[in-house]
Amino acid sequence: QVQLVESGGGLVYPGGSLRLECDYSGIIFSHYTLGWFRQAPGKQREWVATIELGGAGKYADSVKGRFTIINDNRANALWLQMNRLTPEDTGVYYCHAQVSEFGGPQDYWGRGTQVTIPS
């Protein structure tokens, strides 16, 4: 069973940096995509960044140039390095995996980690 566990959230002042980690396990299929989503208070969950195995990261325009997604599939760890944080980056950050399984693509989510940037 696929499990995703996030860590590294916290409170950081504007302009600061934070590094989130997602420890994943149970992915037995060879084709999968990992990523980060976030949900601000009162808003819908939105995509932040994605990375495919052996591929480059893709980013939402709002975080491009500030955030970097890194995957180490040997360590089963995914990171999101976040720099130059602003209050608009506040929210719960979720680790996501989409795995191509026999029945089709399956989505898995972690429980989230809170990131707070005070205004």
Side-chain angles (χ1 to χ4, degrees):
Q1 184 175 357
V2 176
Q3 291 189 325
L4 308 171
V5 180
E6 304 95 337
S7 61
L11 186 149
V12 176
Y13 288 102
S17 298
L18 207 57
R19 188 177 177 105
L20 305 182
E21 179 170 338
C22 173
D23 296 313
Y24 57 90
S25 61
I27 299 178
I28 63 172
F29 293 88
S30 59
H31 189 259
Y32 57 91
T33 300
L34 299 170
W36 292 93
F37 285 71
R38 68 186 180 187
Q39 188 166 15
K43 295 186 177 181
Q44 290 189 332
R45 191 174 298 188
E46 65 174 0
W47 170 68
V48 174
T50 299
I51 189 166
E52 294 187 7
L53 194 64
K58 297 178 182 178
Y59 302 91
D61 288 343
S62 59
V63 307
K64 200 173 295 182
R66 301 187 298 121
F67 289 13
T68 303
I69 187 170
I70 304 162
N71 178 39
D72 185 341
N73 61 290
R74 287 176 293 182
N76 285 0
L78 179 74
W79 293 276
L80 184 68
Q81 177 65 44
M82 306 186 293
N83 298 328
R84 290 184 280 137
L85 287 160
T86 73
E88 287 69 37
D89 296 314
T90 293
V92 179
Y93 282 68
Y94 297 91
C95 183
H96 171 258
Q98 186 174 82
V99 183
S100 295
E101 302 180 359
F102 293 132
Q106 297 295 320
D107 292 295
Y108 299 92
W109 296 92
R111 292 188 175 184
T113 185
Q114 176 71 44
V115 172
T116 302
I117 317 299
S119 55

